[in-house]
mmCIF file of all heavy atoms in Angstrom:
data_model
loop_
_atom_site.group_PDB
_atom_site.id
_atom_site.type_symbol
_atom_site.label_atom_id
_atom_site.label_comp_id
_atom_site.label_asym_id
_atom_site.label_seq_id
_atom_site.Cartn_x
_atom_site.Cartn_y
_atom_site.Cartn_z
ATOM 1 N N ARG N 256 11.541 -6.203 -4.332
ATOM 2 C CA ARG N 256 12.902 -5.983 -4.824
ATOM 3 C C ARG N 256 13.442 -7.137 -5.640
ATOM 4 O O ARG N 256 14.160 -7.982 -5.275
ATOM 5 C CB ARG N 256 13.879 -5.865 -3.626
ATOM 6 C CG ARG N 256 13.711 -4.475 -3.069
ATOM 7 C CD ARG N 256 14.943 -4.123 -2.238
ATOM 8 N NE ARG N 256 14.512 -3.100 -1.244
ATOM 9 C CZ ARG N 256 14.904 -3.211 0.053
ATOM 10 N NH1 ARG N 256 15.636 -4.158 0.431
ATOM 11 N NH2 ARG N 256 14.497 -2.228 0.829
ATOM 12 N N PHE N 257 13.011 -7.198 -6.939
ATOM 13 C CA PHE N 257 13.486 -8.074 -7.978
ATOM 14 C C PHE N 257 14.408 -7.200 -8.921
ATOM 15 O O PHE N 257 14.107 -5.987 -9.089
ATOM 16 C CB PHE N 257 12.375 -8.737 -8.782
ATOM 17 C CG PHE N 257 11.562 -9.680 -7.995
ATOM 18 C CD1 PHE N 257 10.247 -9.495 -7.795
ATOM 19 C CD2 PHE N 257 12.148 -10.814 -7.389
ATOM 20 C CE1 PHE N 257 9.495 -10.336 -7.064
ATOM 21 C CE2 PHE N 257 11.399 -11.681 -6.612
ATOM 22 C CZ PHE N 257 10.091 -11.497 -6.463
ATOM 23 N N SER N 258 15.358 -7.790 -9.535
ATOM 24 C CA SER N 258 16.309 -7.073 -10.364
ATOM 25 C C SER N 258 15.590 -6.339 -11.484
ATOM 26 O O SER N 258 15.991 -5.303 -11.975
ATOM 27 C CB SER N 258 17.451 -7.878 -10.889
ATOM 28 O OG SER N 258 16.850 -9.011 -11.602
ATOM 29 N N TRP N 259 14.458 -6.999 -11.969
ATOM 30 C CA TRP N 259 13.802 -6.437 -13.108
ATOM 31 C C TRP N 259 12.702 -5.387 -12.831
ATOM 32 O O TRP N 259 12.217 -4.718 -13.668
ATOM 33 C CB TRP N 259 13.059 -7.585 -13.923
ATOM 34 C CG TRP N 259 12.079 -8.335 -13.073
ATOM 35 C CD1 TRP N 259 10.802 -8.014 -12.794
ATOM 36 C CD2 TRP N 259 12.418 -9.627 -12.366
ATOM 37 N NE1 TRP N 259 10.185 -8.976 -11.960
ATOM 38 C CE2 TRP N 259 11.209 -9.992 -11.747
ATOM 39 C CE3 TRP N 259 13.480 -10.428 -12.283
ATOM 40 C CZ2 TRP N 259 11.065 -11.080 -11.012
ATOM 41 C CZ3 TRP N 259 13.310 -11.563 -11.540
ATOM 42 C CH2 TRP N 259 12.182 -11.916 -10.857
ATOM 43 N N ASN N 260 12.564 -5.074 -11.540
ATOM 44 C CA ASN N 260 11.513 -4.106 -11.163
ATOM 45 C C ASN N 260 12.170 -2.681 -11.010
ATOM 46 O O ASN N 260 13.352 -2.539 -10.624
ATOM 47 C CB ASN N 260 10.965 -4.445 -9.778
ATOM 48 C CG ASN N 260 9.732 -5.410 -9.883
ATOM 49 O OD1 ASN N 260 9.167 -5.533 -10.987
ATOM 50 N ND2 ASN N 260 9.271 -6.037 -8.864
ATOM 51 N N PRO N 261 11.363 -1.669 -11.364
ATOM 52 C CA PRO N 261 11.941 -0.300 -11.106
ATOM 53 C C PRO N 261 11.832 -0.021 -9.606
ATOM 54 O O PRO N 261 11.218 -0.792 -8.856
ATOM 55 C CB PRO N 261 10.892 0.570 -11.874
ATOM 56 C CG PRO N 261 9.614 -0.210 -11.878
ATOM 57 C CD PRO N 261 10.063 -1.722 -11.830
ATOM 58 N N SER N 262 12.410 1.117 -9.220
ATOM 59 C CA SER N 262 12.415 1.420 -7.715
ATOM 60 C C SER N 262 11.019 1.972 -7.330
ATOM 61 O O SER N 262 10.744 1.785 -6.130
ATOM 62 C CB SER N 262 13.576 2.305 -7.378
ATOM 63 O OG SER N 262 13.459 3.478 -8.182
ATOM 64 N N VAL N 263 10.329 2.463 -8.254
ATOM 65 C CA VAL N 263 9.056 3.099 -7.969
ATOM 66 C C VAL N 263 7.979 2.717 -9.102
ATOM 67 O O VAL N 263 8.409 2.762 -10.204
ATOM 68 C CB VAL N 263 9.058 4.653 -7.832
ATOM 69 C CG1 VAL N 263 7.707 5.176 -7.767
ATOM 70 C CG2 VAL N 263 9.894 5.072 -6.530
ATOM 71 N N ALA N 264 6.801 2.381 -8.609
ATOM 72 C CA ALA N 264 5.801 2.058 -9.668
ATOM 73 C C ALA N 264 4.513 2.733 -9.318
ATOM 74 O O ALA N 264 4.295 3.130 -8.182
ATOM 75 C CB ALA N 264 5.666 0.552 -9.853
ATOM 76 N N TRP N 265 3.562 2.755 -10.163
ATOM 77 C CA TRP N 265 2.177 3.328 -9.908
ATOM 78 C C TRP N 265 1.197 2.289 -10.183
ATOM 79 O O TRP N 265 1.202 1.560 -11.200
ATOM 80 C CB TRP N 265 1.974 4.479 -10.802
ATOM 81 C CG TRP N 265 2.827 5.718 -10.569
ATOM 82 C CD1 TRP N 265 4.005 5.980 -10.939
ATOM 83 C CD2 TRP N 265 2.443 6.685 -9.616
ATOM 84 N NE1 TRP N 265 4.527 7.099 -10.359
ATOM 85 C CE2 TRP N 265 3.533 7.687 -9.560
ATOM 86 C CE3 TRP N 265 1.332 7.011 -8.773
ATOM 87 C CZ2 TRP N 265 3.577 8.819 -8.753
ATOM 88 C CZ3 TRP N 265 1.324 8.200 -8.037
ATOM 89 C CH2 TRP N 265 2.372 9.039 -8.002
ATOM 90 N N GLU N 266 0.191 2.114 -9.294
ATOM 91 C CA GLU N 266 -0.888 1.197 -9.565
ATOM 92 C C GLU N 266 -2.145 1.971 -9.848
ATOM 93 O O GLU N 266 -2.542 2.880 -9.150
ATOM 94 C CB GLU N 266 -1.114 0.407 -8.246
ATOM 95 C CG GLU N 266 -2.370 -0.561 -8.244
ATOM 96 C CD GLU N 266 -2.186 -1.860 -9.083
ATOM 97 O OE1 GLU N 266 -1.075 -2.048 -9.603
ATOM 98 O OE2 GLU N 266 -3.145 -2.579 -9.197
ATOM 99 N N LYS N 267 -2.741 1.666 -11.068
ATOM 100 C CA LYS N 267 -3.966 2.352 -11.426
ATOM 101 C C LYS N 267 -5.174 1.449 -10.993
ATOM 102 O O LYS N 267 -5.183 0.303 -11.471
ATOM 103 C CB LYS N 267 -4.035 2.580 -12.911
ATOM 104 C CG LYS N 267 -5.179 3.396 -13.339
ATOM 105 C CD LYS N 267 -5.346 3.494 -14.824
ATOM 106 C CE LYS N 267 -4.763 4.728 -15.467
ATOM 107 N NZ LYS N 267 -5.033 4.751 -16.806
ATOM 108 N N PHE N 268 -5.941 1.952 -10.146
ATOM 109 C CA PHE N 268 -7.040 1.071 -9.604
ATOM 110 C C PHE N 268 -8.330 1.802 -9.387
ATOM 111 O O PHE N 268 -8.357 3.047 -9.437
ATOM 112 C CB PHE N 268 -6.604 0.562 -8.181
ATOM 113 C CG PHE N 268 -6.589 1.586 -7.136
ATOM 114 C CD1 PHE N 268 -7.559 1.694 -6.122
ATOM 115 C CD2 PHE N 268 -5.520 2.507 -7.033
ATOM 116 C CE1 PHE N 268 -7.594 2.688 -5.152
ATOM 117 C CE2 PHE N 268 -5.498 3.506 -6.137
ATOM 118 C CZ PHE N 268 -6.555 3.514 -5.156
ATOM 119 N N SER N 269 -9.473 1.080 -9.301
ATOM 120 C CA SER N 269 -10.788 1.669 -8.981
ATOM 121 C C SER N 269 -11.230 0.974 -7.693
ATOM 122 O O SER N 269 -10.909 -0.243 -7.430
ATOM 123 C CB SER N 269 -11.767 1.386 -10.090
ATOM 124 O OG SER N 269 -11.340 2.141 -11.256
ATOM 125 N N TYR N 270 -12.063 1.629 -6.911
ATOM 126 C CA TYR N 270 -12.524 1.003 -5.725
ATOM 127 C C TYR N 270 -13.929 1.576 -5.344
ATOM 128 O O TYR N 270 -14.376 2.593 -5.915
ATOM 129 C CB TYR N 270 -11.646 1.197 -4.552
ATOM 130 C CG TYR N 270 -11.605 2.610 -3.967
ATOM 131 C CD1 TYR N 270 -12.267 2.960 -2.814
ATOM 132 C CD2 TYR N 270 -10.984 3.578 -4.611
ATOM 133 C CE1 TYR N 270 -12.185 4.215 -2.239
ATOM 134 C CE2 TYR N 270 -10.868 4.959 -4.099
ATOM 135 C CZ TYR N 270 -11.560 5.200 -2.881
ATOM 136 O OH TYR N 270 -11.584 6.420 -2.428
ATOM 137 N N MET N 271 -14.592 0.854 -4.529
ATOM 138 C CA MET N 271 -15.947 1.173 -4.054
ATOM 139 C C MET N 271 -16.099 0.762 -2.611
ATOM 140 O O MET N 271 -15.791 -0.494 -2.359
ATOM 141 C CB MET N 271 -16.973 0.548 -4.992
ATOM 142 C CG MET N 271 -18.417 0.842 -4.884
ATOM 143 S SD MET N 271 -18.860 2.526 -5.155
ATOM 144 C CE MET N 271 -18.350 2.793 -6.794
ATOM 145 N N ILE N 272 -16.455 1.606 -1.669
ATOM 146 C CA ILE N 272 -16.628 1.161 -0.323
ATOM 147 C C ILE N 272 -18.085 1.448 0.075
ATOM 148 O O ILE N 272 -18.573 2.536 -0.116
ATOM 149 C CB ILE N 272 -15.677 1.969 0.652
ATOM 150 C CG1 ILE N 272 -14.206 1.745 0.195
ATOM 151 C CG2 ILE N 272 -15.867 1.442 2.097
ATOM 152 C CD1 ILE N 272 -13.189 2.502 1.067
ATOM 153 N N PHE N 273 -18.747 0.509 0.621
ATOM 154 C CA PHE N 273 -20.094 0.624 1.142
ATOM 155 C C PHE N 273 -20.078 0.457 2.605
ATOM 156 O O PHE N 273 -19.320 -0.272 3.140
ATOM 157 C CB PHE N 273 -20.994 -0.544 0.626
ATOM 158 C CG PHE N 273 -21.052 -0.684 -0.896
ATOM 159 C CD1 PHE N 273 -20.165 -1.424 -1.516
ATOM 160 C CD2 PHE N 273 -21.966 0.075 -1.653
ATOM 161 C CE1 PHE N 273 -20.137 -1.586 -2.889
ATOM 162 C CE2 PHE N 273 -21.870 -0.093 -3.050
ATOM 163 C CZ PHE N 273 -21.113 -0.891 -3.686
ATOM 164 N N SER N 274 -20.939 1.305 3.261
ATOM 165 C CA SER N 274 -21.026 1.207 4.832
ATOM 166 C C SER N 274 -22.472 0.701 5.087
ATOM 167 O O SER N 274 -23.432 0.934 4.345
ATOM 168 C CB SER N 274 -20.815 2.531 5.415
ATOM 169 O OG SER N 274 -21.693 3.433 5.021
ATOM 170 N N ARG N 275 -22.609 0.093 6.280
ATOM 171 C CA ARG N 275 -23.884 -0.299 6.815
ATOM 172 C C ARG N 275 -24.454 0.972 7.461
ATOM 173 O O ARG N 275 -23.988 1.451 8.463
ATOM 174 C CB ARG N 275 -23.748 -1.357 7.911
ATOM 175 C CG ARG N 275 -23.649 -2.808 7.385
ATOM 176 C CD ARG N 275 -25.045 -3.410 7.241
ATOM 177 N NE ARG N 275 -24.886 -4.691 6.706
ATOM 178 C CZ ARG N 275 -25.799 -5.267 5.886
ATOM 179 N NH1 ARG N 275 -26.892 -4.567 5.615
ATOM 180 N NH2 ARG N 275 -25.634 -6.471 5.427
ATOM 181 N N GLY N 276 -25.485 1.553 6.783
ATOM 182 C CA GLY N 276 -26.000 2.879 7.327
ATOM 183 C C GLY N 276 -25.115 3.985 7.041
ATOM 184 O O GLY N 276 -23.910 3.858 6.652
ATOM 185 N N PRO N 277 -25.549 5.240 7.193
ATOM 186 C CA PRO N 277 -24.610 6.346 6.976
ATOM 187 C C PRO N 277 -23.539 6.488 7.981
ATOM 188 O O PRO N 277 -23.762 6.182 9.178
ATOM 189 C CB PRO N 277 -25.535 7.581 7.010
ATOM 190 C CG PRO N 277 -26.820 7.091 7.820
ATOM 191 C CD PRO N 277 -26.909 5.628 7.651
ATOM 192 N N VAL N 278 -22.410 6.895 7.568
ATOM 193 C CA VAL N 278 -21.259 7.076 8.481
ATOM 194 C C VAL N 278 -20.622 8.378 8.319
ATOM 195 O O VAL N 278 -20.579 8.919 7.175
ATOM 196 C CB VAL N 278 -20.217 5.910 8.125
ATOM 197 C CG1 VAL N 278 -18.965 6.044 9.105
ATOM 198 C CG2 VAL N 278 -20.792 4.563 8.209
#
Side-chain angles (χ1 to χ4, degrees):
R256 280 200 208 136
F257 292 118
S258 58
W259 56 84
N260 272 343
S262 55
V263 168
W265 291 88
E266 173 77 2
K267 189 191 263 189
F268 69 104
S269 293
Y270 74 102
M271 186 63 57
I272 306 180
F273 304 93
S274 62
R275 276 269 176 212
V278 181

